[in-house]
Amino acid sequence: MAAVYTQGPIARGMIKTALAMIPATLALSGYNLVDAYFVGRLVGKTAADAPMAAMGFTLPVVMLIGCFFHGLGIGVSAPTAQALGGNKLERAAKGSTSGVLLILFFSILTAIVGMGCVKGVFSSFGAQGEVLDLVIEYMDIWYFGCATASIAMAGHSLLISVGDNKIASALMMTGMIINAILDPLFIFGWGIFPALGIKGAALATIFAQATGGSISMYVLWKKHRLIRFRKIPVPELRNYWIVTMRYAIPASLGMLMMPVGMTVITKLTASFGTAAMAGCTAAGRLETIAFVVPMSLGMTLTPFIAQNYGARRFDRIKEGLLFAFRFALVFLVGSAVLFALLARAIAPHFCNSPEAQNVMARCIMISVWGLAGVEVHRFSGFSYTGCGRPAAAAMLNGMRFLVFLIPFSLIAWYFHSLNGLFAARLAADVLSGVIGAWLALRTINEKIRSQKNGICNP
C-alpha cells in the first residue's frame, strides 16, 4: 500500500491519472443514458409515455440517495488516503474496513425505509395511476440494490485513493457495459430471460454494480490489504465511524447544493416559456461534454491532496493544485471559444423551433465563459476535503449557489431578462472560482509557513 501520490513528477503524474480516469467519467453518465434509451422504448398500458415518466419521477430520490452514498465514500476514502500518506497502514486498513461496514449498515437501513415509504413519497410528487405503479415496481428493486450501489461507489473511491486508477476506471466502465448488455435482455426479454419491463432496468443496474463492487472489494482485500476480516474493538470502530461521518455529512450536504440550486434555476427558466426551457436544457447537456477531461483529473485530486497532507508534503499540494487550476483554465477556456464559435451551427441539431435554437445559442455564447470558474471552484473544494476540512468544502458549494447563483438569477428574473439569467450564472461561476482558488491557496500557504516555523500539525 504505497502512498503513490506523494512521489514522482506532479504534472506528468496528474495527466497520466486523468487519462486513465476518462473511461470512468464516461461511465458515470452511461448508466442513466443506457437506462433512458431502453426504457424510452417501452409503451405503457394506458399511456404511451408512462415508463419514461416513471423514470423521471425516480430521479430526485435516486440523486438524493446517491449524494449520501457518495458522501459516505468520501468519508471512507479521504481519511484512508491521509493515513496512507502518513505511512499509517494499520490505521488505513481499519478505517477502510470500518467504513465499508458503516456503508453496508446505512444501505440496509435506506432500503428498509425506502421500500416502506415508496408509495407515499412518490404520490406526494404527483405520480398516480399506471405511472405510480411503475415507479413502485422500479424502486422496490432499486432499493434492494442500495448495498450494491454503495459498495461499488466505496470500492471505486478506495481504489482511487490508493492510486489504482486503471482498475477503478476499468471496473466502472465494465459495470456500464454489463448494464448496457443486460438492459435489453431484462427489459424486453429474450430466450430464457423473461420480459420484466421497467423492473428489468433496475435489475440490470444491480447486477452491474454488484460485479464492480465485488471485484473492487476483492482487489482491496487481496492486493492492497485495505479490507480485513479481523475483529475491530467497539471503541475503535466507533471512533472510525465518527471520522467517516465527519467527512460524509458535509460532503453530502455540499453535493445536495447542486440539485437544490438547479431546481430553483429550472423554475426561473421555465417562467420564460417552453422555448427557453428547451434551449437551456439542450445547452446544459452539451456543456457537460467539456467537463469530461477536467472531471477525470478532479477524480484523483482529493486522494492526491489527502496523501500529501498525511505526508506533510504541503509543497506538493500547492504545486498540484496550481497545475489543476491552470489545466482547467486552459482546457475550459479553449472549450468555451470553440462552443461560442459553433453555437449557432450546433443549435439546430438539438432544438426544433427557431426560438429554442436562438435561446440555446445565446445561452452557450454567454454562460460557457464561466466553465473554467466552475471547475476551479470544484477543485478548491477537493483541496479542503483532502486537507481534512470537509465542512469548508461544503461552505464553498453553499457560497456558489446560495450567495451568488440564486440571488443573481432572482435579480435577472425580476427584470424578466433571459440574457440576464445567463449572465447571472456567468458571474456566479467566475466569482466562485476566483474566491475558491484564493481561499484554497491561502490555506495551503498558511500550512507551508507554519511548517517552516515548526508549528504545523496536520
Side-chain angles (χ1 to χ4, degrees):
M1 292 187 295
V4 297
Y5 296 116
T6 62
Q7 306 163 10
I10 292 175
R12 186 173 67 185
M14 294 181 78
I15 289 292
K16 184 179 178 180
T17 56
L19 291 173
M21 294 308 297
I22 286 178
T25 58
L26 294 173
L28 286 174
S29 57
Y31 274 96
N32 290 331
L33 288 174
V34 169
D35 285 350
Y37 176 80
F38 288 112
V39 171
R41 274 145 184 77
L42 285 172
V43 179
K45 296 176 181 177
T46 61
D49 295 326
M52 184 55 75
M55 289 289 287
F57 275 107
T58 67
L59 188 59
V61 173
V62 171
M63 285 183 63
L64 177 67
I65 296 174
C67 285
F68 180 58
F69 285 153
H70 189 63
L72 284 171
I74 292 174
V76 177
S77 61
T80 297
Q82 288 181 358
L84 290 174
N87 202 32
K88 300 172 182 176
L89 306 185
E90 185 70 15
R91 180 176 175 180
K94 286 184 176 181
S96 57
T97 303
S98 302
V100 170
L101 289 174
L102 183 64
I103 289 172
L104 272 174
F105 169 76
F106 275 117
S107 301
I108 295 169
L109 182 63
T110 300
I112 293 171
V113 173
M115 284 188 282
C117 301
V118 62
K119 186 173 183 179
V121 168
F122 290 99
S123 294
S124 68
F125 286 178
Q128 50 188 300
E130 183 188 7
V131 172
L132 179 59
D133 292 339
L134 290 170
V135 168
I136 295 171
E137 287 183 15
Y138 180 86
M139 291 304 295
D140 276 347
I141 294 179
W142 188 90
Y143 278 127
F144 186 76
C146 279
T148 60
S150 59
I151 291 301
M153 284 187 189
H156 299 150
S157 295
L158 282 168
L159 286 172
I160 294 170
S161 74
V162 299
D164 216 338
N165 303 301
K166 289 183 179 179
I167 291 182
S169 186
L171 286 176
M172 294 169 78
M173 181 57 71
T174 299
M176 190 202 72
I177 293 171
I178 291 173
N179 185 61
I181 293 171
L182 294 181
D183 255 349
L185 295 180
F186 289 170
I187 292 173
F188 305 110
W190 183 73
I192 62 172
F193 297 97
L196 299 174
I198 196 170
K199 292 186 291 186
L203 196 59
T205 299
I206 290 175
F207 272 97
Q209 291 170 338
T211 302
S214 300
I215 296 174
S216 65
M217 288 296 132
Y218 177 80
V219 173
L220 289 166
W221 166 65
K222 193 71 175 177
K223 179 180 178 181
H224 299 290
R225 302 289 189 262
L226 279 179
I227 300 298
R228 296 187 178 181
F229 299 97
R230 301 176 189 171
K231 183 178 179 180
I232 301 174
V234 173
E236 282 190 62
L237 190 67
R238 183 176 62 248
N239 290 335
Y240 284 121
W241 283 0
I242 290 171
V243 171
T244 298
M245 295 308 295
R246 188 174 73 84
Y247 280 84
I249 292 174
S252 299
L253 291 175
M255 283 183 285
L256 284 174
M257 287 292 106
M258 179 171 289
V260 170
M262 295 317 297
T263 298
V264 175
I265 301 306
T266 298
K267 286 181 177 285
L268 296 180
T269 304
S271 68
F272 289 90
T274 303
M277 192 67 195
C280 291
T281 301
R285 296 291 174 87
L286 182 64
E287 287 172 6
T288 59
I289 298 172
F291 287 110
V292 169
V293 175
M295 277 180 63
S296 302
L297 178 66
M299 290 179 76
T300 58
L301 191 57
T302 296
F304 168 84
I305 292 172
Q307 280 198 10
N308 283 286
Y309 187 77
R312 298 171 61 87
R313 292 298 308 272
F314 306 124
D315 56 322
R316 285 180 64 85
I317 294 177
K318 181 178 180 179
E319 185 180 345
L321 197 57
L322 284 171
F323 174 80
F325 287 160
R326 287 194 294 266
F327 183 88
L329 283 169
V330 171
F331 189 90
L332 289 170
V333 169
S335 299
V337 172
L338 188 63
F339 280 161
L341 290 174
L342 299 177
R344 295 286 179 188
I346 292 173
H349 297 283
F350 288 84
C351 300
N352 294 321
S353 71
E355 294 85 359
Q357 293 170 16
N358 182 47
V359 169
M360 180 182 179
R362 281 189 288 148
C363 180
I364 290 174
M365 288 190 288
I366 295 174
S367 62
V368 290
W369 301 107
L371 297 181
V374 173
E375 202 65 4
V376 168
H377 171 266
R378 245 176 26 102
F379 288 172
S380 301
F382 294 162
S383 171
Y384 276 114
T385 300
C387 289
R389 298 180 61 184
M395 290 177 66
L396 270 183
N397 274 330
M399 175 191 72
R400 180 183 172 221
F401 288 100
L402 302 180
V403 177
F404 295 134
L405 183 58
I406 293 177
F408 290 175
S409 298
L410 285 171
I411 293 172
W413 174 79
Y414 177 80
F415 288 103
H416 202 70
S417 171
L418 187 57
N419 282 349
L421 206 62
F422 305 150
R425 180 190 154 187
L426 171 61
D429 292 346
V430 172
L431 284 171
S432 298
V434 170
I435 294 173
W438 175 70
L439 289 173
L441 289 172
R442 187 183 70 169
T443 300
I444 299 303
N445 285 329
E446 287 175 355
K447 291 291 184 183
I448 292 173
R449 285 194 298 269
S450 297
Q451 188 179 49
K452 288 179 179 178
N453 294 329
I455 58 173
C456 185
N457 294 306

